[in-house]
Amino acid sequence: EAGVTQFPSHSVIEKGQTVTLRCDPISGHDNLYWYRRVMGKEIKFLLHFVKESKQDESGMPNNRFLAERTGGTYSTLKVQPAELEDSGVYFCASSQRPGGVSYEQYFGPGTRLTVT
Amino acid sequence: AQRVTQPEKLLSVFKGAPVELKCNYSYSGSPELFWYVQYSRQRLQLLLRHISRESIKGFTADLNKGETSFHLKKPFAQEEDSAMYYCALSGGGGATNKLIFGTGTLLAVQP
């Protein structure tokens, strides 16, 4: 079974440009999460989809970040316009539908974003 | 506030020595605690969770609600244990089950 995949693995863009990150969860996983690790800091939650609906987007830093999950399959995270502080590693994770007990979250390899 | 604290950025031990990676948490409610591990060039993966109360790769972790700790222990470290270890808490209310991570501890096992 294929794991969570993310594309691209690394992106280098200039400040002010736009970047779109993609995440393909494990097939059948309703829950999709985005996290980010900024250099030297902890991995932080950004948002959570259940199928195509945003369950929790409390971690989104500002309105330059837009996440979508049309059709409840893959998800995209767009940063527009990118700023220097957006540099970091963006992780995607997916899990089965929770039913009272947390299901394991399976992580993708991450996308390293560098804004220059 | 919900928080996970891992006080050590780096822990270096010799092969065969005992290992204890510290994790303390702050959470109002009944938390679910996890240890995730990231080996070199691999993705983040779940090592163990407190509700399972199992030993994985020789590692164990006991949830101590009085001390709000979830330290990870192994009696005899192996070189292949060298990795980044993250303690995480599941919370946030509702059905989100989002993970709150600590800053991680790099475990280096010397031969």
Side-chain angles (χ1 to χ4, degrees):
Chain A
E1 178 183 332
V4 177
T5 58
Q6 294 187 244
F7 181 83
S9 58
H10 192 185
S11 178
V12 182
I13 61 172
E14 293 183 353
K15 175 182 171 181
Q17 290 186 320
T18 297
V19 64
T20 300
L21 313 181
R22 173 171 171 145
C23 168
D24 286 80
I26 293 172
S27 177
H29 281 191
D30 288 343
N31 294 273
L32 188 150
Y33 302 81
W34 283 98
Y35 295 88
R36 176 175 75 169
R37 182 177 63 211
V38 172
M39 178 76 76
K41 302 209 171 171
E42 69 270 30
I43 300 169
K44 279 196 171 180
F45 167 80
L46 295 179
L47 87 159
H48 169 211
F49 284 100
V50 176
K51 296 184 179 179
E52 67 276 6
S53 300
K54 291 176 185 175
Q55 180 75 29
D56 181 350
E57 52 184 330
S58 61
M60 294 289 263
N62 51 61
N63 59 11
R64 295 186 293 104
F65 289 75
L66 175 64
E68 295 180 323
R69 193 183 181 193
T70 307
T73 54
Y74 71 90
S75 174
T76 58
L77 179 64
K78 181 191 290 188
V79 185
Q80 178 183 30
E83 298 289 345
L84 298 178
E85 64 264 25
D86 300 332
S87 296
V89 181
Y90 290 76
F91 294 101
C92 176
S94 72
S95 72
Q96 293 176 310
R97 184 186 178 93
V101 176
S102 293
Y103 279 76
E104 177 179 351
Q105 293 186 24
Y106 294 84
F107 281 78
T111 293
R112 181 174 296 278
L113 174 64
T114 303
V115 183
T116 61
Chain B
Q2 298 158 0
R3 187 185 300 122
V4 175
T5 302
Q6 294 180 253
E8 304 139 328
K9 285 189 175 180
L10 170 66
L11 183 62
S12 182
V13 301
F14 287 103
K15 176 183 173 182
V19 169
E20 183 179 48
L21 300 170
K22 290 185 169 34
C23 172
N24 287 87
Y25 66 90
S26 171
Y27 184 75
S28 55
S30 297
E32 189 167 359
L33 275 296
F34 306 84
W35 277 98
Y36 276 80
V37 60
Q38 187 170 25
Y39 300 101
S40 179
R41 296 191 182 86
Q42 293 187 29
R43 61 187 64 193
L44 202 60
Q45 59 188 281
L46 179 65
L47 179 63
L48 52 81
R49 56 202 304 173
H50 89 271
I51 61 171
S52 300
R53 301 185 65 82
E54 57 192 345
S55 174
I56 303 292
K57 299 184 178 182
F59 285 98
T60 58
D62 291 318
L63 179 62
N64 185 323
K65 292 186 178 181
E67 295 182 358
T68 59
S69 68
F70 189 56
H71 303 327
L72 183 68
K73 299 177 184 179
K74 184 169 183 177
F76 308 103
Q78 303 299 314
E79 289 180 68
E80 56 265 30
D81 296 329
S82 296
M84 194 73 176
Y85 291 80
Y86 294 94
C87 184
L89 176 156
S90 177
T96 184
N97 290 325
K98 66 183 179 187
L99 292 171
I100 299 167
F101 286 91
T103 48
T105 298
L106 179 61
L107 175 63
V109 182
Q110 311 295 332

